[in-house]
Amino acid sequence: MLQVLIVDDEPSHVQGLVRHIPWAKLGYLIPLTAESGEEAIPILEAGPVDVLITDVSMPGMNGIELAAEAKLIHPDIQILVISGYNEFEFAQEAIEVGAKGYVLKPLKLSEIERKLTAFRQTLESITQINEQTIKLKEIVSDSQEMLKDTFIFDILEEEPMEEESLNSWCQMLNLPNQPSEGIQLITAIIDNYSDSSGSDAQSKLMLGSALLQSVSVGLKDLGNVLVSKTRPDQVVAILINPSIDKRSNIDKQMRFVQDYMSNSYGVSVSVGISRWGYEWREMNQIFREVKFTIADVRQSGNGSITYVGNTERKAFEDYRMQENMLPDLLMLAESDDPLPLVDKVGQTFKELENSGHNMAYIQSLSISLLGELSRKVWQDTEEINFLNKRAWHRLLDCKTIDMMKDIVIDYIRSASMLVRKERSLQQHHLISRIVSSMEEQLPISMTVKQLAEQFHISAGHLSVLFKKETGLTISDFVKNLRMKKAKEMLQVPTIKIYEVAEKVGFQTPAYFTYQFKKNEGCTPQEYRDRFYV
């Protein structure tokens, strides 16, 4: 319902309008009233007024002046001005100050009602436009936040962003292509997140949102800041070109975040603050340095604020070298031939020495390599464990990098030899089991795929192993097996030839005779006759 204010210095005029207009039917509350412009101003200021009906000619502040003031207080207010014939010269002024209607005395109630109906429709349209505008602003705001989240996710990816794509993002988010004063990345992680809120999904969601909001509020005064929740328990903030005095407040503001999360939710938050970068392309590297540093520090306790300095960067580089190197070496170890792995290990030791890594680091890396090879590639057999422990003790006593290299290579060669023997033995037992199964299942002949499924091995690998072990393909082996069984049965005169054909898996005696002669050089009957001569 809309609110009207009627202002006239003649009370009878006011009461006439109040009594005789069907306000509720037209969508209005019972009007407010005033007898002067000066009396009307406080009413306008006290609360929302949608429509002002005012007489032009009043003592003191006239209707034109009141209309102008009302527009300042309520810009969307609809104004209806009432005047006599001798006051018609005020009409132009009323329009100029924003009046939307002008009626002459004596008043016609029907005309007033038409004006009020038109005002209501106008106000409803204005309300609708305002609501849509607010929604649009919210959508744009949400879209901007989504864009920022997407940008942060992309910029932190391990693969560097293409130059054209980066420029497009910077333009869309109004970011500098080249941050001259630098970029700093802050990562905040909720400690023990999985235990902090039990299994309540809503509580976990609230906890992550609280961290996001606290970081956003805590850093909002530090200049241009992008903030995003990159994981349910992790928030990342990127400070862009902050001034020197604002940089000094980072530590203070992140302690505010920690205190807030502790006091409000009973959780601790670990914070990592990166070194300074000067290109967007550095962000993925910087982010990984921060994550590694936080993870390392959290091993000895939670709730710290840690800065990534030269020492932390060096530790991360060592970790990354190990992280990148070990998978390549483990892949080479899958081969039966140890030479590629031996060559790669020799090359790696040379690179480590040339990079200036100390003995302790190379020693640790060597022991890690031996452990990974033993567990993930060579299955921790008793013999492998013995070689591993012996090499591990020898590495601890090493005095030079060359000695360590020789010990690792010697371990690889010895372990590879044991593994090859073990694999060969396992393959021999596997093929023996398969052959026994094939003999037991005659006259049924299983396909390579069926045999592979039965013995949990790929069809291709089975074919290769079978040929390597027996010298025959599976189909040739089955054919020979049938012929061998057939010859054994043909030596028993009471078994008819068609029965032999059926028992060794041939569908017809004629096809059996054809295959037998092709394989043995004589028919089944000729073979039997020759056997009993």
Side-chain angles (χ1 to χ4, degrees), residues 81-337:
V81 175
I82 301 172
S83 74
Y85 282 104
N86 61 344
E87 298 164 335
F88 191 71
E89 67 272 13
F90 289 117
Q92 185 63 40
E93 290 184 50
I95 293 171
E96 288 178 0
V97 298
K100 299 299 181 183
Y102 194 95
V103 293
L104 298 174
K105 297 176 182 178
L107 299 178
K108 294 179 181 179
L109 295 181
S110 60
E111 187 176 4
I112 298 292
E113 291 179 20
R114 283 198 303 273
K115 295 291 185 184
L116 288 170
T117 299
F119 288 166
R120 189 193 72 240
Q121 293 170 346
T122 299
L123 287 167
E124 288 174 350
S125 297
I126 291 172
T127 300
Q128 187 176 3
I129 291 170
N130 289 339
E131 289 175 351
Q132 290 176 348
T133 302
I134 290 170
K135 288 181 180 178
L136 181 60
K137 286 181 179 178
E138 291 174 352
I139 291 171
V140 170
S141 177
D142 290 344
S143 297
Q144 282 292 103
E145 291 304 313
M146 290 177 62
L147 287 173
K148 289 177 182 178
D149 288 345
T150 304
F151 173 71
I152 290 176
F153 180 82
D154 287 352
I155 205 70
L156 298 183
E157 280 287 288
E158 292 189 21
E159 289 296 323
M161 193 181 292
E162 295 292 334
E163 189 71 29
E164 185 177 347
S165 178
L166 179 58
N167 292 337
S168 177
W169 273 112
C170 290
Q171 183 177 3
M172 188 160 43
L173 295 175
N174 196 26
L175 300 173
N177 288 61
Q178 191 77 27
S180 56
E181 300 299 322
I183 318 171
Q184 193 165 34
L185 184 142
I186 300 170
T187 300
I189 303 177
I190 299 171
D191 299 317
N192 303 319
Y193 176 72
S194 59
D195 302 327
S196 58
S197 54
S199 58
D200 186 346
Q202 185 174 1
S203 297
K204 288 181 178 293
L205 181 63
M206 290 298 296
L207 201 58
S209 297
L211 179 63
L212 175 65
Q213 293 303 318
S214 62
V215 172
S216 299
V217 171
L219 300 179
K220 67 181 176 63
D221 294 329
L222 299 188
N224 194 354
V225 184
L226 302 178
V227 183
S228 177
K229 186 166 68 171
T230 53
R231 277 191 347 219
D233 63 333
Q234 175 179 280
V235 170
V236 170
I238 300 177
L239 278 64
I240 306 158
N241 290 337
S243 60
I244 294 176
D245 60 325
K246 288 180 178 178
R247 295 181 187 184
S248 61
N249 288 327
I250 295 174
D251 189 277
K252 174 184 174 183
Q253 295 307 109
M254 294 314 296
R255 293 198 185 281
F256 156 78
V257 171
Q258 290 178 320
D259 291 342
Y260 171 78
M261 294 298 294
S262 176
N263 296 333
S264 300
Y265 296 93
V267 297
S268 67
V269 173
S270 292
V271 177
I273 302 175
S274 78
R275 61 182 170 90
W276 284 97
Y278 295 91
E279 291 187 7
W280 288 109
R281 291 176 175 277
E282 292 182 82
M283 281 295 100
N284 61 340
Q285 170 76 5
I286 287 174
F287 181 51
R288 296 186 71 198
E289 292 172 3
V290 173
K291 285 200 302 180
F292 172 80
T293 302
I294 291 178
D296 189 45
V297 171
R298 289 171 83 191
Q299 292 181 9
S300 56
N302 295 323
S304 63
I305 294 181
T306 307
Y307 285 82
V308 178
N310 290 333
T311 302
E312 289 76 17
R313 287 187 67 188
K314 181 64 167 58
F316 172 72
E317 288 300 325
D318 290 345
Y319 162 77
R320 190 174 67 165
M321 176 175 285
Q322 181 172 329
E323 184 185 45
N324 293 337
M325 182 186 69
L326 287 179
D328 292 340
L329 294 175
L330 294 178
M331 190 178 297
L332 289 174
E334 295 287 351
S335 169
D336 286 338
D337 184 2

Side-chain angles (χ1 to χ4, degrees), residues 5 40-41 44-45 49-54 61-81 93-101 119 122-123 126:
L5 171 62
I41 294 299
L44 288 166
E45 293 176 338
V49 175
D50 302 294
V51 175
L52 171 65
I53 300 176
T54 180
M61 178 183 289
N62 65 33
I64 303 300
E65 293 169 333
L66 175 60
E69 287 295 323
K71 272 291 182 182
L72 293 175
I73 299 170
H74 300 294
D76 293 331
I77 194 169
Q78 304 297 296
I79 301 172
L80 177 61
V81 175
E93 290 184 50
I95 293 171
E96 288 178 0
V97 298
K100 299 299 181 183
F119 288 166
T122 299
L123 287 167
I126 291 172

